[in-house]
Amino acid sequence: MPTLHLLGTGAAISDPHRTTTMLGVSDEAATAPDVLLVDCGGDVLQRMRMAGLPFERIAGLIITHAHPDHVSGFPLFMEKIWLAGRKTPIPVCGIAPALEQAQKTFEAFSTITADWDDMPAIDWRPVAFQRDAIVWDDATWTVTAAPVEHGIPNVGLRIESPRTGGVVGYSCDTAPSGNVAHLGRDADWLVHEANGAGEGHSSAPQAARTAQQAQAERLVLVHLPPGDKQAELAAAQSIFDATELGEELGSYPL
Ligand SMILES: [Zn+2]
């Protein structure tokens, strides 16, 4: 069954049990590598292991934007897939500033990686910074992106399983945005940040209003700062009843 995995649910600093927000989607019924990863601001491959997803199943990595809590784990990601024996090129998708940041972080280790023969090639796949930009399109997943409101160029995503029609909308980091409602329209799960109201971010009630606008089935809050969230959660639920806090390493069927 196509499944969304919350590989991380925290803000840059969060509760002790949460790491930076990173997503994965998998579909065990697929015949080709099926796991798409979204962001690598932490050790995304350690989280894959925690989630029981083997590295051989990685189809590609999507990087949303240039902030450290979304991209800084990229050199470690490359080291790990190389050590795990990957030979085939690794597709890395994102808008130009996100890919440039990933490339820079990787090049910071060029004196080391120069001696690492047979590292997998990086198949950079630029994504247009516009509504409904195609990020990924194969038999297992269709992914589109749209700009969101975050101070620097950033995109939210819509991830669909052509097999079941299941949909995840993902806000990424953003102030309330009509493009997120568009990406999350009729989604099974709208994964929305709730870092707190402020420049380039949203509160839980603001996320709830977007879920309502999107007519999503359920809202899952991520990018959570440290501390008790019960009041924020209750406020969100009073607007959009089917709201829950993202569960670290939780899996959600599509
Ligand atoms: Zn950010």
Side-chain angles (χ1 to χ4, degrees):
M1 168 170 280
T3 304
L4 161 71
H5 306 267
L6 295 185
L7 301 176
T9 55
I13 292 179
S14 192
D15 297 314
H17 70 285
R18 297 184 194 274
T19 188
T20 56
T21 293
M22 299 178 281
L23 312 185
V25 285
S26 70
D27 185 353
E28 270 183 307
T31 49
D34 59 301
V35 175
L36 278 183
L37 299 168
V38 179
D39 286 338
C40 53
D43 184 349
V44 68
L45 295 185
Q46 188 269 349
R47 304 313 270 176
M48 267 190 86
R49 295 205 76 162
M50 292 283 286
L53 297 169
F55 297 168
E56 308 83 75
R57 284 173 52 189
I58 299 173
L61 170 67
I62 299 165
I63 298 175
T64 57
H65 67 294
H67 280 154
D69 58 322
H70 291 260
V71 68
S72 65
F74 184 67
L76 180 60
F77 170 85
M78 289 302 301
E79 180 182 19
K80 285 191 163 194
I81 59 169
W82 169 62
L83 289 172
R86 186 180 181 111
K87 304 279 186 238
T88 52
I90 176 77
V92 181
C93 315
I95 55 174
L99 296 190
E100 281 161 23
Q101 193 76 307
Q103 196 161 13
K104 275 193 267 180
T105 62
F106 186 62
E107 281 169 3
F109 293 87
S110 59
T111 55
I112 309 289
T113 54
D115 294 330
W116 292 356
D117 297 332
D118 69 5
M119 280 200 92
I122 304 172
D123 174 10
W124 299 107
R125 297 190 183 179
V127 171
F129 191 52
Q130 63 189 40
R131 208 180 205 205
D132 296 328
I134 303 288
V135 180
W136 192 271
D137 190 15
D138 69 7
T140 312
W141 301 111
T142 304
V143 184
T144 54
V148 294
E149 306 293 326
H150 192 47
I152 65 165
N154 186 17
V155 290
L157 300 172
R158 178 181 179 86
I159 304 172
E160 302 189 54
S161 163
R163 197 165 68 74
T164 64
V167 174
V168 179
Y170 175 44
S171 69
C172 201
D173 297 4
T174 186
S177 160
N179 274 357
V180 175
H182 174 68
L183 291 164
R185 63 196 181 279
D186 302 319
D188 297 83
W189 302 96
L190 176 62
V191 179
H192 201 298
E193 72 124 294
N195 194 78
E199 206 181 324
H201 286 289
S202 302
S203 66
Q206 286 173 328
R209 270 177 225 114
T210 300
Q212 204 173 41
Q213 207 184 332
Q215 297 189 295
E217 272 193 43
R218 285 153 292 194
L219 171 64
V220 184
L221 302 175
V222 298
H223 212 283
L224 300 167
D228 182 55
K229 284 110 193 148
Q230 291 312 312
E232 277 261 299
L233 177 62
Q237 285 169 334
S238 73
I239 297 162
F240 187 81
D241 185 46
T243 303
E244 58 192 272
L245 296 176
E247 183 194 339
E248 189 78 6
L249 293 170
S251 56
Y252 302 78
L254 297 180

